[in-house]
Amino acid sequence: MRVRIESDGEKLALTELQDWLARDPRARALSVATVSTPGPTMGALDALEIVLGSAGDIANFAVGYAGWRLARAGGRVRGARTLTFGSSTVDVSGLDPEQLADLLRRLEAGDSNDDDVQS
């Protein structure tokens, strides 16, 4: 399963999240790749693509993401809060680790008929 976390206009947030996941003991084994869009801001980081190969990967990403979000200045969520999987997009900034992991499992299973997911 490949998911994408987009910058939401806060490209620094993606760099911070990538660094956080690389240092997190459970999440650092995840495959995290940067996605850049060619254009006037050539080479600018637009998204992170994360490969989640197992239920353990989903849980580790969910916990890592939530930990990063909580550690940010004042807990204020800005940038890197939009998750895309296939044609489904969701704002994950308000989800706790369990909710995020559940959402990812449902997306992987093809159940995107949820109020939290927008296609």
Side-chain angles (χ1 to χ4, degrees):
M1 165 182 207
R2 291 180 187 270
V3 296
R4 186 176 282 205
I5 299 287
E6 298 176 2
S7 71
D8 304 318
E10 288 278 338
K11 297 183 189 318
L12 179 60
L14 289 178
T15 302
E16 292 172 355
L17 176 58
Q18 184 179 27
D19 290 345
W20 181 275
L21 292 174
R23 288 189 316 268
D24 184 277
R26 290 169 285 186
R28 70 174 153 222
L30 298 175
S31 172
V32 179
T34 58
V35 178
S36 301
T37 304
T41 57
M42 193 168 191
L45 180 59
D46 293 319
L48 294 177
E49 186 172 86
I50 300 141
V51 178
L52 305 171
S54 68
D57 288 349
I58 289 173
N60 290 337
F61 170 70
V63 170
Y65 177 83
W68 167 78
R69 191 180 68 217
L70 289 172
R72 296 197 75 205
R76 199 178 95 181
V77 178
R78 58 183 209 288
R81 59 180 205 218
T82 302
L83 182 138
T84 302
F85 175 70
S87 63
S88 298
T89 303
V90 63
D91 181 339
V92 295
S93 62
L95 302 180
D96 66 29
E98 187 175 300
Q99 292 169 323
L100 178 55
D102 182 57
L103 172 67
L104 290 167
R105 285 189 291 270
R106 286 184 286 131
L107 286 170
E108 183 179 37
D111 178 16
S112 61
N113 296 326
D114 187 281
D115 292 337
D116 294 332
V117 179
Q118 305 154 0
S119 296

